[in-house]
């Protein structure tokens, strides 16, 4: 498998910068894109084959995909079509890269669900601007410094959490866990998915560790008769209650 990660070998973790998957088989261009995206503050992962990208996207969806049209294994066009056919990735932002500049090919790329279309050779600053613009429209919470729900407020810059008028002391792991769940209210995550998203794919810890940290988080967030914002879904996992603070 020709999967290349960024120089820092980063994995997407809660509270981190927006994570971008670059699917490009031209190594020099892939390196250039990763360098410039990381300079803009994004977390980057690179994949050179279409089939490797398919596998990675089923493991964990990034915040945005930069996808080359022509790839070994599976074409970028087919990957985009499959992303749009799956509920979990139907709204995942996709920017298509291609050497094809004809209008008919642009229409074809957009018709399978690509959000934007950039023809090679392209201006790197322009591509960076398109990435930021698309993230602002599709995932504004990933660029936000604060997340709020009801009387709960999480500040990503200061790493502080408040509920009403009181400060809530959280350890680093509980903070990342709350950030991850609050960013996606209502979505149910299995323990394995939370391990990947909060601890990172390289973490070698038992899934029961998730239960321990969820328990600590709940204890810190709720006092007395305060409503618990974390919802347990039996046999499935955990979610941040999307109705929290709404009536």
């Amino acid at each position: 498998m020709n999967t290349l990660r960024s120089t820092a070998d980063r994995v997407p973790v809660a509270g981190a910068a927006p994570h971008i998957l670059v699917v490009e088989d031209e190594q020099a261009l892939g390196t250039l894109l990763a360098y410039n995206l990381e300079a803009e503050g994004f977390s980057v992962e690179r994949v050179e084959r279409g089939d490797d990208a398919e596998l990675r996207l089923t493991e964990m969806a990034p915040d945005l995909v930069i996808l080359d049209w022509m790839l070994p294994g599976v074409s970028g066009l087919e990957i985009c079509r499959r992303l749009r056919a799956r509920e979990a990735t139907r709204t995942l932002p996709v920017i298509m890269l291609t050497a094809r500049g004809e209008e008919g090919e642009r229409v074809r790329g957009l018709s399978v669900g690509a959000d934007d279309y950039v023809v090679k050779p392209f201006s790197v600053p322009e591509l960076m601007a398109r990435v930021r613009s698309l993230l602002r429209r599709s995932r504004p919470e990933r660029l936000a410094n604060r997340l709020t729900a009801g009387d709960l407020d999480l500040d990503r810059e200061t790493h502080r959490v408040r509920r009403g008028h009181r400060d809530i002391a959280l350890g680093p792991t509980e903070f990342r866990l709350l950030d991850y769940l609050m960013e996606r209210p209502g979505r149910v995550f299995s323990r394995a998915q939370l391990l990947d998203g909060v601890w990172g794919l390289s973490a070698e810890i038992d899934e029961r560790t998730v239960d321990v940290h969820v328990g600590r988080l709940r204890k810190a967030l709720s006092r007395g008769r305060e409503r618990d914002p974390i919802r347990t879904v039996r046999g499935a996992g955990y979610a941040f209650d999307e109705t929290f603070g709404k009536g």
Side-chain angles (χ1 to χ4, degrees), residues 77-186:
L77 201 66
E78 181 60 26
I79 289 173
C80 190
R81 183 180 290 113
R82 294 176 186 178
L83 287 173
R84 294 301 179 245
R86 293 198 295 266
E87 183 64 31
T89 55
R90 187 163 294 163
T91 60
L92 177 64
V94 175
I95 296 178
M96 189 81 76
L97 300 182
T98 180
R100 303 167 187 251
E102 298 83 358
E103 183 178 358
E105 298 298 345
R106 288 173 180 263
V107 172
R108 188 179 174 198
L110 294 171
S111 69
V112 298
D115 297 280
D116 207 344
Y117 192 103
V118 179
V119 179
K120 302 176 186 176
F122 53 82
S123 160
V124 171
E126 179 186 353
L127 178 61
M128 297 301 110
R130 292 191 184 204
V131 167
R132 290 192 298 271
S133 175
L134 186 51
L135 280 172
R136 274 192 211 98
R137 295 199 310 268
S138 62
R139 298 291 303 278
E141 72 281 0
R142 290 299 280 127
L143 299 180
N145 290 326
R146 299 177 70 175
L147 298 175
T148 59
D151 61 351
L152 193 59
D153 181 274
L154 181 147
D155 191 319
R156 285 169 162 165
E157 286 193 334
T158 63
H159 272 234
R160 288 181 176 174
V161 176
R162 291 181 60 85
R163 183 162 187 177
H165 297 293
R166 67 182 175 92
D167 290 316
I168 297 174
L170 295 180
T173 301
E174 284 73 34
F175 182 89
R176 294 197 306 272
L177 180 59
L178 178 61
D179 184 304
Y180 194 75
L181 292 171
M182 283 187 72
E183 189 178 81
R184 306 158 179 84

Side-chain angles (χ1 to χ4, degrees), residues 45-64:
E45 184 175 357
R46 288 171 48 201
V47 177
E48 294 183 354
R49 293 180 55 88
D51 44 4
D52 290 345
E54 278 263 282
L55 177 62
R56 186 67 190 90
L57 286 163
T58 58
E59 292 172 345
M60 176 177 289
D63 294 296
L64 182 143

Side-chain angles (χ1 to χ4, degrees), residues 175-222:
F175 182 89
R176 294 197 306 272
L177 180 59
L178 178 61
D179 184 304
Y180 194 75
L181 292 171
M182 283 187 72
E183 189 178 81
R184 306 158 179 84
R187 178 173 172 181
V188 179
F189 292 95
S190 68
R191 291 168 178 81
Q193 288 173 323
L194 288 173
L195 280 177
D196 287 348
V198 178
W199 281 264
L201 292 172
S202 60
E204 295 181 3
I205 53 179
D206 192 280
E207 289 186 5
R208 288 173 294 184
T209 302
V210 175
D211 298 331
V212 173
H213 285 280
V214 169
R216 291 176 182 171
L217 178 59
R218 280 177 155 154
K219 186 176 180 180
L221 291 178
S222 303

